[in-house]
Every structure is written in C-alpha cells, then in structure tokens.
C-alpha cells in the first residue's frame, strides 16, 4: 500500500516537472534546406504577447551561432527562416539536430528558450570510398563462408541513412545484411556454392547500398573477386567480439588489448598474422598500432573523448599458406572520459553602457557555459566574483543572465569589470574566467553645487563700468552635457536695481558692473545667482551674493552753519581781558564719506605767527593760548583748514577775523549771531539734560535696590559689601569711603576750573606715577603709588560723551584735549570724538572713527585704558560711569587724596592735580584778585 502511494507521488511530481519544463521553452521543427522566409511559428501567440507590443518591448532573438538563421516579423509575430539550414553542416554525425535560441522581451523582462528541430531530408545518396573493391577467395572455401564487404556512407541520418545492401544476381554469392543498432548497417558476402578457379578465376559483381528515403537513393561499388587456390582451414578468433576500455589521456604505446586467433593447419598455413581493416573513412591504423605477429593493439595518437567516444575496429587474421585464408574479427574500444577540458564561457552583451538609473533586475548580458567533457566532468557551476552590483540568474541549464543587482552610481563607479568564473564538477575541478567590461552611462542626477552658501564680494565705488567684480564657480559631478553649467541672475533677484547695476556671463560666470557705484547712495545689496546644467531635465542650485560697496575719499569736508554762509570774511570778537583758554568760536564740519575718510581734523594758521590762538584738532574749538598783551594786534585773521584722513586727503578752508574789543558789552552788540546766555539753552541741551537725569535716577534706584537686596540676603553672600559714603568736611573738602578704604579730597580756593576723577583701590595701578597738572597742560611725575597686588589689565576701554550746542561754554565740561584725562596711570591727550563709541581693542589710547563726523559738540570723556596692569573694570557700555569713579566738575585745581586702609593713614599716597603749581599761584594772587570781577563776568556770559 505504501509503495503504491509513493509511486503515485512520484508520478505527480514527474508530471509537474515536465509541464513546468515545457512551459519554459518553445519547440518548433522545420525541414532542412527550407527556403528563406519559411514561417517556423508564431512567437506572439506562443509568448502570449500582443503583436503590437513586440517592437515596443524590443523582441530580440539571440543564438550562439555565427549566422543568424532565424528572424522575427514584428508585424505578424512570425518566426521565419533567415539563412539556409543544412542539417549535415550544422549537426554532423548527430542523430537529432536541434538549434537553441533565446527570445527576450523588455518592459517587463521576459525570457523564453526556443528549440528548433531540423528535420532531415533525404538529400544525400549512399557512397562507397572505394571505386573498385578487390576480394580474394580461395576455391577451397566452404559454402556458407562469409566475406566482409565495403561499408557505404550516407550523410543523412535516421531513416534516410543506409538501410540495406543489394548484390547483383549471381550463382555463387548472397548477402547477409546486419543491422548495427546505433551503428550503421553492414553486409557480408556469403558463399552459396563452392568456387572452381579452373572454371571461373574472376567473378565481377556490383554491390549497391540503398537508404530508407522515399524515394530511396542508392550508391554502388564494383567488386572483383579473385578465386584463390588451395588452403583448407581458415584462422579463427577466440571471441567473435572483443571489447576494451582506454582513458583518453593514455600515453602513446599504452596497450589496449591483445587479439588471439588460431589456425588448425600446420606450417606456414597455420601461422596467423593480424591486420586492420580500413572501412569507409576510418583507418584504425591512424589511432592504434597492431602488432601483426602478436596481435597486440596499442595507442599511437592522442585520444579525445570529446571528439569520439568509441571506436569500432575490424581486424583480420590471415594464415601464411600459399593460398592464405583469413577470418574477420571485431573490436569495440570505449574511450574513458577524463576531465581535461575547462568550461567555456560565451558572453553576449545586450546593453552596454548601462544607464546609472537602470532598474534592479535589468538584463545586461547573456552568459552561456559549455564543457566538452561528459558526465560530472561536463556539469558546471557559474558565479560572479567580487563585490559588484551585478549577479547571475540561471535561465536554462547552462544559460545565464547577468542582471543589475543594486542601484548604480556613475559618479562613484563609472565602469565595472565583472569577473565570471565557471567550475566543472570533475576531479580535479577545472575552471575558466571571463571579464565583462560594463560601462555606466551618466544620468543627470546631480545639480551644480556652489562651494559656499553665501558669497560676499566687494567693489570700490567709482570703479569703471565693465569692471570684473567676481567670477562665480559651481561644480557638477556629472559629465558632458549634464555637467555644462550656465549662470544667471535668479528670478526673484531680477529687479530693476540688480539688473541695472550688474550683469553675469552665462558661460564663464563673470560678474561685471554696468554703472558707477556710489557708496553714499548705495552701500550694499543682495541678489541670487542660479547655476543650471544642460541635462534633460536641467537641475539648478542657488547661492546668495552680498555685494558690498567700499567707500572712497571722494567728498570734501563741508562747513556747517553759521560759518557756512557765503561771505568773504567771518568776524569774531573777544575781550581784551580774555584769559588763556577763552572760547572764541567752534567750527563744525561734516564729510559725506565714512570711516577714516570722514574723520576730520582742524588746523589754524596765523600769518604773523604770534601764537595767540589754537584750535581743537578733533572738536574745532578755537581758544586763546594766553592772555592778551599790549603788543598784540587788535585784529587777527585766521585761516581754518578742515581736512579728512582719506588717501589722498581732501580739505576745506575757512577765513575768520578775530577782533579784540575793550569790554564785553561790545561783544554782545557786535556778535549778533552768537546767542546770549539766557537764549543758548537749545532743544539739544534739553534732551541731553533729560537723558542725564534719567540715567542718574535709574542708576540710583538700581544702587539702592542692590544694597537692599544684599542687606536682606540670608546666605551671607553680600555681607562683605559696604556701600560707598561721601562726607563733606567743614573746610570745604570731601571724603569718599568704601569698606576700610577712605579717600579725603582737599580743595584750594584759587583755581579757575579743574576736573577730578577719583578711583578707589586698587586704582591707580602699582606702577603708576603721581601726576601734577599745571596751566601749561604738561604733566609732572611726582611719586609712584605702592600696592601689594598687581591687578590684571583690562581688554577694552569705555567712553562717555555729551554733546553741547555750538558756541556755548559749559564750565563743568571736561575737555579731553585741553585738560588731562587719567588713562590707567598715565595722562595722555585723547581726541574728542563727536559721538560715543565702545572700543574692543585691548590697547590703551586706541581711537575709533566717529559715527557722525562733524557734529558740533563739547564732550565729557571718561576713559579707562590699559596704561598698565590694574585697569578699570570691563563690560561698560557707552555712556555708563562706574560707581567706583566720581567726577567733580568745577572743583578747585589742587586735590589731595589720602588712602587709608585698616585705620592707618598713608600720607605718602596722594595725587595732586592743578593748572599751576602752588608757588606760582601765590605770586599771581594779587593780579588774579584784581581780575576776579572781570573773570566772573566773562564766565557768566559764557
């Protein structure tokens, strides 16, 4: 019962296998010598494809033959004969002739194997190699004795090959026809009647060979039979059929077999010799050697199983009698296969180059592997070696397809060397390799790329039209047309302003100017550049370009009112009693340029060189250098030169005539354009006052809040802080204390104006020197302040400035040029910038360019600079005053600072400020008391 079930399952699997195999191939058959155009079959029907889709899907018929025997009609779908098919030429010595083809369709991929069987036609007649066949027969031959006849050859196979032989009518002989099964049909001559040489010495017959065609064809050979006399017995082989096996790699001289034939006669009539019998086109002596005396057959030439797997050899044993008698024997030599042939790889390319966007599974080439060996020696395995994005798919037996296995990228790998190796299953195994060069075709899959996301380019104003500003450059990883980049202004940047200023060369990327640039009108503008390749479709990328205009010194300084009025000469009056530093006038000027091109400086020239007036280089204030004397002229013409700091420098001149009058009443009546004291409080001063009061209130509120917070904290982090305290002493001095440090300031009573900046410890620095400021605006070093620690130097400085109205005189102003400014421990002259600025430079004395050059201003400037280690605190914004510094405007000139630490007075630590030394002031005390009234009056007017 179980056996029946197993047999049923086996039959089912066999039927499924045969049905699947038959579905995988298409079989046709045609007769050989069919005319060109003969229809073999309809591929559209057998492939189940619409005829209209054959051409669109690129139907391709592939074969491994040198000629293209078949073609396809795309209109009808018929497979027709394209070349003459000669079965005898295509399949010599083959029983069945089959041509193998491959039908390939794309989109989607479809692969079918086609077998075309070539049906043999009876177009060849049997032929004999010999024109005349000679046969010697002894007259003593007995009836029934057989004689081997020549073999006819027919190029046709199967039923069209030789089927029978016919002998011309005679009384002595008949034919015995033998069918060889897989081998050809042979015939033997049978003696029917004893021969009589004396009656008939030679018998002439005709042997005809006939094939199985309809109608049959024949071939003939003439036979001359010589009747020999005497010899009674013929030799006899020990076996009617000998069989032997020999390896195809057997060396020459190797023994195949030894024949044995005996003769009952004695003497020479019983001595047997052996010989090969040549039949048709095969002569055994070409391959084997037969020892005539011993009957040993040996190998003489190289055997090849792939050429011929077996040999049918006929031998004769002949005695040496006067009338020799012979017998025929047959030897079948089987050639044993040896694995001596490596597999052969044949590649048929379909697509080369392969597009880099080819789908996975796309067929690149067909691979056919053959091995001439038999059995396992002819069975092969094929695979792709190495890491490549391709693989082999098995189609049918030894037919493979090389397909894309991964996504391709030409920019990473432009070509591949695909190595295919085939191994057979012999022992030892033989292999062969084949390299397929697969080129990857470029696809436009990379957009042009700029090296930077934003490009800043600079052009100087007033540059000539057509100047090359910048060259754009973008790279594209593709090649040929896909990498040819063109440049243009992006669509959202094609406004009138951009296109009127610049133009870009689409091929080179050169950006040139179309007009002059004016920094005062346009400082910068932005646009986008588009880079596009020439692929289909094209790809693009964008980059933002910032075009910055660089300023040139192309504007002269301009004098502001009231001195900009068009008049031949401007006149200013001063009293004869004017002291040194008396304010005469203020020149205001502006420059339309920027930076150092707009940084202005003022200079004055006095033709007679009396050195009476001076002008602030940075603020344009004209003041007296000394008191008037009787030798001075009453009128002083001044030439004011206003220059910028550009390269080259541009300048403007102004003429002012300064007239000396006897009293101040004349000044009020004569200088009509100078406002009086009660009228000189302008809106600008009002805004400045409001700003100062607001900042002061905010500062005080912040200070009170900070003190309150620190006093109420429970963690003790602010317990060490003690708010500063200022105490006024009865003698007119004041003291400033903070924690254990106390500063006492003493004033003298006969100084016109002075300014004081008080620094708590650790200011001034350890290496500072005591400075005495006298009326000559010189510095005198007196003593170095000691310190236990050396504070670190700051990285920046700070300034504060407050602008005042032109022509006004403010007694509380601190003049950065005429007065001294403490910078670290050194007093230096610092230009008075018209606006506030915060310097980021770490070096003291560095001056930043003004933000609004030419603005009329008197300024308060407080500057901490790194004159040495221990500079003031950092992170101060413009306009801020640190709580550690206090400015005392309008204070006496002589100030004594005493620093107390730990309750001990160190009287050696002090700083003295003053416009004159105390000794000189006592000498001039009487004169100053005399002019005190006039001086107070002048100060009030200012």
């Amino acid at each position: 019962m179980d056996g029946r079930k197993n047999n049923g399952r086996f039959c089912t699997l066999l039927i499924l296998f045969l049905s699947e195999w038959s579905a995988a191939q298409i079989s046709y058959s045609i007769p050989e010598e069919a005319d060109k155009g003969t229809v073999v079959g309809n591929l559209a029907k057998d492939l189940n494809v619409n005829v209209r889709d054959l051409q669109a899907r690129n139907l391709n018929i592939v074969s491994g033959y040198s000629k293209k025997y078949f073609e396809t009609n795309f209109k009808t779908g018929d497979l027709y004969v394209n070349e003459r098919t000669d079965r005898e030429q295509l399949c010599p010595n083959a029983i069945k002739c089959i041509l193998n083809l491959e039908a390939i369709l794309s989109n989607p991929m479809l692969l079918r194997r086609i077998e075309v069987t070539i049906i043999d036609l009876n177009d060849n007649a049997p032929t004999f190699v010999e024109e005349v066949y000679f046969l010697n027969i002894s007259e003593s031959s007995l009836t029934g004795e057989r004689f081997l006849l020549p073999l006819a050859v027919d190029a046709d196979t199967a039923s069209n090959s030789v089927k029978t032989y016919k002998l011309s009518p005679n009384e002595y002989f008949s034919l015995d026809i033998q069918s060889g099964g897989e081998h050809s049909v042979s015939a033997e001559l049978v003696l029917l009647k004893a021969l009589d040489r004396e009656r008939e010495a030679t018998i002439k017959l005709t042997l005809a060979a006939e094939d199985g065609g309809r109608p049959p064809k024949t071939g003939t050979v003439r036979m001359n039979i010589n009747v020999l006399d005497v010899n009674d017995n013929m030799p006899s082989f020990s076996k009617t059929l000998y069989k032997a096996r020999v390896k195809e790699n057997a060396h020459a001289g190797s023994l195949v077999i030894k024949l044995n034939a005996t003769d009952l006669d004695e003497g020479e009539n019983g001595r047997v010799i052996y010989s090969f019998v040549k039949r048709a086109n095969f002569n055994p002596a070409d391959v084997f050697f037969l020892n005539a005396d011993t009957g040993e057959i040996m190998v003489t030439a190289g055997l090849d199983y792939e050429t011929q797997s077996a040999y049918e050899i006929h031998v004769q044993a002949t005695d040496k009698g006067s009338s020799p008698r012979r017998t025929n024997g047959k030897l079948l030599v089987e050639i044993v296969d040896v694995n001596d042939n490596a597999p052969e790889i044949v590649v048929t390319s379909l697509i080369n180059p392969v597009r880099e966007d080819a789908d996975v599974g796309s067929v690149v080439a067909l691979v056919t592997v053959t091995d001439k060996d038999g059995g396992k020696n002819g069975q092969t395995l094929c695979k792709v070696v190495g890491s490549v994005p391709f693989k082999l798919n098995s189609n049918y037996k030894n037919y493979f397809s090389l397909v894309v296995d991964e996504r391709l990228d030409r920019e990473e790998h432009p070509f591949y060397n695909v190595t295919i190796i085939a191994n057979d299953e012999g022992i030892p195994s033989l292999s062969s390799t084949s390299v397929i060069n697969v080129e990857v075709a470029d696809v436009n899959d990379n957009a042009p790329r700029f090296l930077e996301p934003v490009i800043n380019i600079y052009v100087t104003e007033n540059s000539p039209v057509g100047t090359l500003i910048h060259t754009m450059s973008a790279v594209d990883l593709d090649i040929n047309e896909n990498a040819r980049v063109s440049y243009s202004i992006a669509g959202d940047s094609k406004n009138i302003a951009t296109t009127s200023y610049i133009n870009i060369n689409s091929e080179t990327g050169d950006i040139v100017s179309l007009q002059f640039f004016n920094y005062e009108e346009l400082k910068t503008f932005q646009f986008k550049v588009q880079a596009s390749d020439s692929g289909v479709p094209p790809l693009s990328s964008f980059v933002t370009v910032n075009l910055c205009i660089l300023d040139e010194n192309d504007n002269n300084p301009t004098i502001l009112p009231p001195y900009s009025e068009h008049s031949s000469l401007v006149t200013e009056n001063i009293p004869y009693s004017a002291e040194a530093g008396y304010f005469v006038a203020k020149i205001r000027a502006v420059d339309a340029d920027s930076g150092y091109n707009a940084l202005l400086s003022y200079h004055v020239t006095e033709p007679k060189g009396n050195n009476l007036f001076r002008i602030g280089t940075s603020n344009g204030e004209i003041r007296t250098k000394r008191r008037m004397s009787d030798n001075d002229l009453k009128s002083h013409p001044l030439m004011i030169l206003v220059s910028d700091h550009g390269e080259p420098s541009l300048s403007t001149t102004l003429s002012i005539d300064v007239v000396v009058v006897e009293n101040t009443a004349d000044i009020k009546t004569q200088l009509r354009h100078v406002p009086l004291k009660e009228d000189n409080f302008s809106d600008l001063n009002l805004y400045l006052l409001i700003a100062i009061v607001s900042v002061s209130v905010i500062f005080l509120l912040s200070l009170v809040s900070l003190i309150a917070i620190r006093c109420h904290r429970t963690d003790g982090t602010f317990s060490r802080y003690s708010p500063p305290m200022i105490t006024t002493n009865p003698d007119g001095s004041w003291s400033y204390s903070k924690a254990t440090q106390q500063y006492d300031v003493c004033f003298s009573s006969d100084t016109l104006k002075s300014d004081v900046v008080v620094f708590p410890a650790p200011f001034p620095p350890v290496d500072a020197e005591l400075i005495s400021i006298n009326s000559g605006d010189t510095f005198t070093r007196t003593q170095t302040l000691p310190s236990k620690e050396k504070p670190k130097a700051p990285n920046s400085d700070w300034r504060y400035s407050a602008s005042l109205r032109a022509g006004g005189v403010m007694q509380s102003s601190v003049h950065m040029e005429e007065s001294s400014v403490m910078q670290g421990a050194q007093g230096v002259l610092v230009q008075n910038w018209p606006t506030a600025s915060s310097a980021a430079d770490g070096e003291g004395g560095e001056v930043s360019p003004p933000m609004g050059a030419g603005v009329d201003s008197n300024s308060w400037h407080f500057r901490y600079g790194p004159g040495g280690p221990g500079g003031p605190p950092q992170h101060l914004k413009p306009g801020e005053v640190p709580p550690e510094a206090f400015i005392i405007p309008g204070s006496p000139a002589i100030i004594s600072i005493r620093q107390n630490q730990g309750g001990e007075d160190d009287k050696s630590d002090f700083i003295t400020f003053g416009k004159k030394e105390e000794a000189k002031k006592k000498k001039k005390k009487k004169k100053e008391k005399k002019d005190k009234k006039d001086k107070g009056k002048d100060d009030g007017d200012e």
Side-chain angles (χ1 to χ4, degrees):
M1 191 68 178
D2 295 336
R4 293 179 180 178
K5 288 183 180 180
N6 292 334
N7 292 335
R9 291 175 181 173
F10 176 78
C11 294
T12 304
L13 293 174
L14 181 61
I15 293 171
L16 291 175
F17 174 78
L18 292 176
S19 62
E20 183 178 356
W21 177 81
S22 61
Q25 66 178 2
I26 302 172
S27 299
Y28 298 109
S29 61
I30 61 167
E32 69 171 331
E33 306 291 344
D35 296 332
K36 290 186 178 180
T38 302
V39 176
V40 179
N42 191 284
L43 281 180
K45 179 180 178 181
D46 295 332
L47 293 175
N48 196 18
V49 177
N50 195 318
V51 176
R52 292 172 295 181
D53 296 335
L54 292 178
Q55 190 167 6
R57 294 182 63 181
N58 192 21
L59 175 63
N60 193 8
I61 303 300
V62 180
S63 67
Y65 305 99
S66 59
K67 294 182 180 181
K68 198 166 187 179
Y69 292 99
F70 303 96
E71 279 288 357
T72 306
N73 189 331
F74 289 99
K75 294 183 179 180
T76 62
D78 293 332
L79 181 69
Y80 62 91
V81 177
N82 186 53
E83 290 285 343
R84 173 179 172 272
T85 55
D86 187 354
R87 192 203 66 79
E88 287 73 27
Q89 181 181 359
L90 292 173
C91 308
N93 301 323
I95 298 175
K96 189 176 182 180
C97 184
I98 297 176
L99 300 183
N100 294 319
L101 309 174
E102 297 287 339
I104 303 173
L105 288 172
S106 302
N107 300 319
M109 185 68 184
L110 179 64
L111 186 65
R112 287 290 184 273
R113 184 172 181 270
I114 302 173
E115 287 187 356
V116 181
T117 302
I118 308 301
I119 301 174
D120 183 43
L121 296 179
N122 191 21
D123 55 346
N124 293 280
T127 59
F128 291 89
V129 177
E130 304 87 355
E131 293 182 358
V132 179
Y133 183 73
F134 296 94
L135 181 63
N136 298 321
I137 301 176
S138 176
E139 65 176 350
S140 61
S141 298
L142 300 176
T143 58
E145 187 174 352
R146 298 171 179 271
F147 304 94
L148 193 64
L149 294 178
L151 186 66
V153 178
D154 196 336
D156 298 324
T157 61
S159 61
N160 295 325
S161 62
V162 177
K163 292 298 181 184
T164 186
Y165 291 89
K166 292 182 179 180
L167 189 64
S168 60
N170 66 92
E171 61 178 325
Y172 294 104
F173 299 98
S174 68
L175 287 179
D176 183 12
I177 301 174
Q178 300 174 353
S179 178
E182 295 180 358
H183 308 288
S184 60
V185 177
S186 61
E188 291 182 342
L189 188 67
V190 180
L191 183 62
L192 298 176
K193 182 180 178 182
L195 299 176
D196 187 358
R197 183 178 177 278
E198 290 71 24
R199 181 180 175 186
E200 190 175 3
T202 302
I203 301 173
K204 294 184 178 181
L205 302 175
T206 301
L207 179 64
E210 185 177 285
D211 60 23
R214 294 185 181 181
K217 292 185 178 183
T218 60
T220 62
V221 61
R222 290 179 297 156
M223 296 177 58
N224 292 332
I225 301 175
N226 297 320
V227 181
L228 302 179
D229 199 15
V230 187
N231 214 346
D232 300 318
N233 297 292
M234 61 181 181
S236 176
F237 284 101
S238 61
K239 294 181 180 179
T240 57
L241 178 64
Y242 289 93
K243 292 183 179 181
R245 291 168 58 95
V246 60
K247 291 185 178 181
E248 62 175 328
N249 62 348
H251 301 292
S254 300
L255 178 64
V256 178
I257 195 171
K258 183 178 181 180
L259 302 176
N260 183 25
T262 59
D263 194 319
L264 298 178
D265 296 327
E266 292 183 354
E268 292 296 323
N269 292 332
R271 184 180 297 177
V272 179
I273 59 174
Y274 304 90
S275 63
F276 286 126
V277 177
K278 181 180 179 182
R279 300 189 56 137
N281 295 327
F282 174 62
N283 185 4
D286 296 336
V287 182
F288 302 98
F289 169 75
L290 175 60
N291 191 323
D293 296 326
T294 62
E296 294 179 346
I297 298 177
M298 293 173 288
V299 177
T300 58
L303 302 178
D304 190 359
Y305 171 85
E306 290 72 37
T307 302
Q308 191 165 352
S309 59
Y311 292 93
E312 183 179 333
I313 303 173
H314 291 270
V315 294
Q316 282 185 345
T318 307
D319 58 28
K320 291 187 176 182
S322 57
S323 296
R325 302 189 68 179
R326 62 182 57 86
T327 186
N328 298 314
K330 183 185 293 186
L331 171 63
L332 186 60
V333 179
E334 182 182 354
I335 307 302
V336 179
D337 182 42
V338 175
N339 191 24
D340 58 346
N341 290 281
E344 296 180 1
I345 302 174
V346 178
V347 178
T348 304
S349 296
L350 295 180
I351 304 174
N352 199 4
V354 182
R355 288 171 58 91
E356 62 177 321
D357 60 349
D359 297 330
V360 174
S362 300
V363 178
V364 177
L366 294 180
V367 179
T368 304
V369 181
T370 59
D371 196 318
K372 295 179 180 180
D373 296 321
K376 286 192 175 183
N377 294 332
Q379 297 178 6
T380 59
L381 298 175
C382 189
K383 63 180 179 180
V384 175
V385 180
S387 177
V388 292
F390 301 96
K391 68 176 182 178
L392 282 176
N393 288 339
S394 178
N395 298 333
Y396 176 79
K397 291 185 178 179
N398 294 333
Y399 296 89
F400 303 90
S401 297
L402 182 66
V403 299
V404 178
D405 190 38
E406 299 176 6
R407 303 295 296 180
L408 303 177
D409 188 355
R410 189 209 64 80
E411 288 71 34
E412 185 176 353
H413 294 287
F415 62 88
Y416 293 91
N417 292 325
V418 182
T419 302
I420 298 176
I421 184 170
N423 298 278
D424 58 28
E425 296 184 6
I427 299 175
S429 177
L430 300 180
S431 64
S432 61
T433 60
S434 178
V435 179
I436 303 176
N437 296 321
V438 180
E439 182 181 354
V440 181
D442 184 48
V443 174
N444 191 24
D445 56 349
N446 290 279
R449 180 172 58 88
F450 290 96
L451 300 180
E452 299 176 357
V454 178
I455 297 177
N456 297 319
I457 58 178
Y458 302 90
V459 60
T460 307
E461 66 170 331
N462 302 323
S463 297
V465 175
T467 299
L468 177 62
I469 299 175
H470 188 74
T471 299
M472 304 300 296
S473 178
V475 295
D476 196 314
L477 299 179
D478 296 320
I479 60 174
N480 300 331
E481 293 297 323
N482 296 332
R484 184 177 299 173
V485 181
S486 61
Y487 304 89
S488 63
I489 303 298
D492 55 353
S493 298
K494 288 184 178 179
N495 50 59
I496 298 177
T498 302
T499 55
S500 62
Y501 282 122
I502 62 169
N503 182 42
I504 186 170
N505 188 310
S506 60
E507 295 183 357
T508 63
D510 293 340
I511 299 177
V512 297
S513 61
L514 298 179
Q515 59 176 285
F516 293 100
F517 293 101
N518 190 348
Y519 175 82
E520 288 71 37
E521 296 178 359
L522 179 67
K523 293 179 174 56
T524 181
F525 69 91
Q526 186 181 86
F527 60 94
K528 289 186 177 181
V529 173
Q530 178 181 0
S532 304
D533 57 29
S534 301
V536 178
L539 300 178
S540 304
S541 63
F542 300 86
V543 65
T544 300
V545 180
N546 295 320
L547 180 60
C548 302
I549 314 301
L550 301 179
D551 181 47
E552 276 194 342
N553 192 25
D554 56 349
N555 292 281
N556 292 79
T558 303
I559 306 298
L560 296 178
Y563 299 107
S564 62
E565 298 176 358
H566 298 285
S567 59
S568 60
L569 185 62
V570 178
T571 303
E572 291 289 351
N573 296 334
I574 62 171
Y576 177 78
S577 60
E579 291 288 338
Y582 181 84
F583 179 82
V584 178
K586 180 176 179 65
I587 308 301
R588 295 184 306 163
V590 294
D591 196 313
D593 295 321
S594 65
Y596 281 95
N597 295 330
L599 179 60
L600 304 180
S601 60
Y602 302 85
H603 306 277
V604 62
T605 59
E606 292 177 299
K608 295 184 178 181
N610 53 9
N611 198 26
L612 181 59
F613 299 96
R614 59 182 171 85
I615 188 170
T617 306
S618 60
N619 57 18
E621 292 182 356
I622 303 175
R623 295 180 180 272
T624 59
K625 290 185 178 180
R626 56 181 175 79
R627 289 179 60 87
M628 297 292 177
S629 65
D630 296 338
N631 296 328
D632 293 328
L633 301 175
K634 299 301 181 181
S635 177
H636 300 271
L638 302 179
M639 180 68 69
I640 307 301
L641 178 66
V642 183
S643 303
D644 58 27
H645 287 69
E647 290 293 339
S649 177
L650 301 178
S651 61
T652 302
T653 58
L654 171 68
S655 298
I656 297 179
D657 190 10
V658 181
V659 179
V660 180
V661 298
E662 293 296 332
N663 52 53
T664 58
D666 295 335
I667 298 176
K668 295 181 180 179
T669 57
Q670 292 177 13
L671 301 179
R672 293 186 299 273
H673 62 277
V674 178
L676 298 177
K677 184 176 181 179
E678 59 270 14
D679 298 333
N680 63 0
F681 199 77
S682 65
D683 293 338
L684 181 62
N685 298 80
L686 178 61
Y687 297 149
L688 178 61
L689 181 60
I690 294 174
I692 294 174
V693 172
S694 301
V695 172
S696 302
V697 172
I698 293 172
F699 172 75
L700 291 176
L701 292 176
S702 302
L703 184 61
V704 172
S705 300
L706 179 62
I707 295 173
I709 292 172
R710 290 192 176 184
C711 290
H712 288 81
R713 287 181 65 92
T714 59
D715 56 358
T717 55
F718 298 97
S719 61
R720 291 177 293 179
Y721 173 76
S722 178
M725 181 175 65
I726 302 174
T727 304
T728 304
N729 299 323
D731 58 355
S733 64
W734 54 271
S735 63
Y736 166 75
S737 65
K738 181 178 180 182
T740 59
Q741 301 177 3
Q742 180 177 351
Y743 302 88
D744 293 338
V745 182
C746 299
F747 306 140
S748 66
S749 59
D750 53 356
T751 301
L752 178 63
K753 293 185 295 181
S754 67
D755 305 308
V756 178
V757 179
V758 181
F759 301 93
F763 304 113
V766 67
D767 57 350
E769 294 180 350
L770 298 183
I771 303 170
S772 176
I773 306 174
N774 54 38
S775 60
D777 296 334
T778 60
F779 305 112
T780 303
R781 298 180 178 84
T782 59
Q783 187 177 353
T784 302
L785 298 179
S787 177
K788 296 180 180 180
E789 297 180 357
K790 190 174 183 180
K792 298 180 180 179
N795 293 326
S796 62
D797 61 350
W798 62 275
R799 306 179 187 86
Y800 171 81
S801 68
S803 301
L804 298 179
R805 178 176 57 86
V809 179
M810 192 169 185
Q811 295 182 1
S812 61
S813 64
V814 178
H815 303 290
M816 300 301 290
E817 180 175 318
E818 280 71 352
S819 301
S820 296
V821 178
M822 177 173 289
Q823 181 171 343
Q826 294 288 348
V828 297
L829 294 180
V830 182
Q831 291 198 20
N832 182 20
W833 303 110
T835 58
S837 63
S838 177
D841 193 356
E843 296 182 0
E846 182 68 23
V847 180
S848 299
M851 296 173 60
V855 178
D856 181 17
S857 63
N858 289 326
S859 304
W860 291 359
H861 282 257
F862 307 23
R863 173 171 177 143
Y864 290 116
Q874 304 179 26
H875 310 294
L876 294 177
K877 299 179 180 179
E880 291 185 356
V881 180
E884 292 85 353
F886 295 87
I887 295 86
I888 313 302
S891 61
I894 299 177
I895 302 172
S896 174
I897 298 179
R898 183 174 65 233
Q899 179 178 3
N900 298 329
Q901 296 184 357
E904 295 181 5
D905 295 342
D906 189 354
K907 295 184 181 181
S908 63
D909 300 337
F910 65 91
I911 301 175
T912 303
F913 298 86
K915 289 188 177 180
K916 295 181 180 180
E917 296 179 359
E918 187 176 0
K920 291 183 180 180
K921 289 187 177 181
K922 287 182 179 181
K923 293 180 181 180
K924 294 183 180 180
K925 186 175 183 181
K926 181 182 287 186
K927 186 177 181 179
E928 289 177 355
K929 287 182 179 180
K930 181 179 179 181
D931 297 335
K932 186 175 183 180
K933 184 177 181 180
D934 294 337
K935 180 189 70 175
K937 205 170 188 180
D938 293 341
D939 293 342
D941 292 338
E942 292 177 4

